[in-house]
Amino acid sequence: MSDATPTPTATPERPQLPAQSPPVDPAETAVASDKAGSAGRLSWWRGDGGDGAKRNLGLIGVLAALILVGAVTKPDLYGDPTWVWNNVLAILQLASVVGVVTVGMTFVIIGGGIDLSVGAIVALAGVWCTTVATQSYGAAGMIFTAIVVGICVGLVNGVLISYGRLVPFIATLAMLVAARGLAASISNKQTQVSSSTFINDIAARKVIGIPILVYILGAVVVAGWIVLNRTTFGRRTVAVGGNPEAARLAGINVRRHTMLLYALSGLCCGIAAIMLTSQATSAQAAMANLYELDAIAAVIIGGTLLSGGRGTIVGSLLGVIIFATITNLFAINGLSIEAQNMVKGGIIVAAVLVQQFQFKSFTRLLARNRVTTAT
């Protein structure tokens, strides 16, 4: 019988104490903190915010080029400061209605969707708020009706897309046809005249020499910028558009948020309906024709990705102003609308190509960084 050899007991390893770091020079600490502070101050330019700033500066450069073209082609007009100021106000007033619609479209596209029904929603809200029954409640009743109609139609879009699992393109395309048909049915295919002096004066009045429509556009843009950049709703919008599954795992109710995005777009359409009704002092089923294309084009020009997850309100506003400036430039030079549309189409194609090039370059850069880190 062999004796069992005792198994050696393992001695616990002593934790190694970290080596004592050398004393830190206060002067070097101050220099390092200054460098970190300067890097932090420049992070807005180098990071994602910097990319947005660069795109916006590029759009401002395009505006400057358009103004230069106008000054070269019509030096007699651009040489008159009074005419130039009035022309700037005319451009802003021309961009005001589409600009309000574009703010809502920006949220929808950043959230990974698309809305082809915004023009039809504007028409339906405008027709509904100018019926005889609605106008009997005065200006407040008309404004309330337009906004409620816009929100409700937007909610229908959101429910069909979020809970009905319809593709946004199909759902909003169906709403485009249905809303136009309902507007024609309500108005009996007739133009409905607005009898509210308060509504009609919105487009005619000026405050400190600036039309009220421009103030409304500014208020909507500022509100949209705050919501997108300074609230949880805006951060969730970017997260849902960038990666819906990751957003869901992070605890975001993606379906409800998508529904709210389309309701927000409908709200902007209701506001735009009042503005457009004020400009025409009437409403009809054919109003706001092709506004969806103008809004989508402005959002793309402003740098918002069609796939979602990135975009800026300021960029979308600059895109609207660029298209309004092109329209104004063609008008003062007596050029045809067909040529104007061809130029707009070329700009849209160029903007999409630039987006694709930047996205591919960014993807390749990330891939290189991963390979370098792995090696």
Side-chain angles (χ1 to χ4, degrees):
M1 183 174 178
S2 60
D3 297 334
T5 58
T7 58
T9 58
T11 59
E13 296 183 358
R14 295 182 179 179
Q16 295 182 356
L17 298 177
Q20 185 177 2
S21 59
V24 180
D25 187 4
E28 294 180 357
T29 304
V31 172
S33 62
D34 291 340
K35 291 181 179 179
S38 61
R41 287 190 294 269
L42 292 176
S43 62
W44 69 272
W45 179 262
R46 295 173 180 171
D48 294 337
D51 293 338
K54 293 174 186 177
R55 286 192 297 271
N56 293 340
L57 287 176
L59 294 175
I60 293 175
V62 173
L63 276 175
L66 292 175
I67 294 173
L68 181 61
V69 170
V72 171
T73 56
K74 291 291 182 179
D76 53 337
L77 296 178
Y78 279 83
D80 184 3
T82 303
W83 182 90
V84 171
W85 172 246
N86 292 331
N87 190 52
V88 169
L89 293 180
I91 292 174
L92 292 177
Q93 191 165 3
L94 177 65
S96 59
V97 180
V98 180
V100 171
V101 175
T102 302
V103 172
M105 183 69 75
T106 303
F107 276 92
V108 170
I109 294 181
I110 292 177
I114 196 75
D115 193 349
L116 300 179
S117 64
V118 289
I121 296 176
V122 171
L124 178 59
V127 166
W128 207 318
C129 77
T130 53
T131 59
V132 176
T134 305
Q135 293 195 54
S136 63
Y137 291 96
M142 295 175 65
I143 295 173
F144 176 79
T145 300
I147 292 177
V148 169
V149 168
I151 294 176
C152 289
V153 177
L155 281 174
V156 172
N157 281 333
V159 169
L160 291 175
I161 294 168
S162 301
Y163 298 96
R165 303 296 182 89
L166 291 181
V167 179
F169 181 88
I170 300 300
T172 56
L173 180 62
M175 182 58 70
L176 182 154
V177 179
R180 289 283 183 189
L182 182 57
S185 176
I186 292 174
S187 63
N188 198 21
K189 299 181 181 180
Q190 302 295 321
T191 300
Q192 298 181 163
V193 178
S194 171
S195 59
S196 173
T197 306
F198 180 84
I199 297 295
N200 297 339
D201 287 347
I202 292 177
R205 288 183 179 178
K206 295 183 179 181
V207 177
I208 319 177
I210 300 176
I212 294 180
L213 292 178
V214 178
Y215 285 108
I216 297 175
L217 172 62
V220 173
V221 168
V222 171
W225 186 92
I226 293 174
V227 171
L228 182 61
N229 297 279
R230 293 293 184 267
T231 65
T232 304
F233 185 87
R235 291 190 291 270
R236 289 179 177 178
T237 300
V238 176
V240 169
N243 192 328
E245 182 61 22
R248 185 187 65 82
L249 295 176
I252 299 175
N253 192 331
V254 176
R255 292 184 180 181
R256 183 180 63 185
H257 191 84
T258 301
M259 181 183 66
L260 292 178
L261 287 176
Y262 284 93
L264 178 60
S265 177
L267 170 63
C268 293
C269 291
I271 298 173
I274 293 296
M275 299 169 67
L276 191 58
T277 301
S278 174
Q279 283 184 319
T281 66
S282 62
Q284 56 179 336
M287 65 189 297
N289 188 31
L290 298 180
Y291 271 32
E292 56 276 357
L293 299 184
D294 292 338
I296 294 172
V299 172
I300 296 172
I301 294 299
T304 299
L305 288 179
L306 278 174
S307 57
R310 191 190 74 184
T312 62
I313 297 295
V314 176
S316 298
L317 174 64
L318 291 174
V320 173
I321 295 176
I322 285 175
F323 280 126
T325 304
I326 292 174
T327 302
N328 177 266
L329 189 62
F330 274 66
I332 64 177
N333 284 278
L335 299 177
S336 63
I337 299 179
E338 291 77 10
Q340 172 186 327
N341 292 335
M342 287 188 290
V343 171
K344 286 184 178 180
I347 293 176
I348 295 170
V349 172
V352 173
L353 290 176
V354 169
Q355 280 190 5
Q356 290 182 351
F357 174 77
Q358 290 180 346
F359 181 75
K360 290 180 180 178
S361 300
F362 181 70
T363 305
R364 291 172 183 172
L365 179 62
L366 286 180
R368 291 177 184 174
N369 291 338
R370 290 172 183 170
V371 172
T372 305
T373 305
T375 56

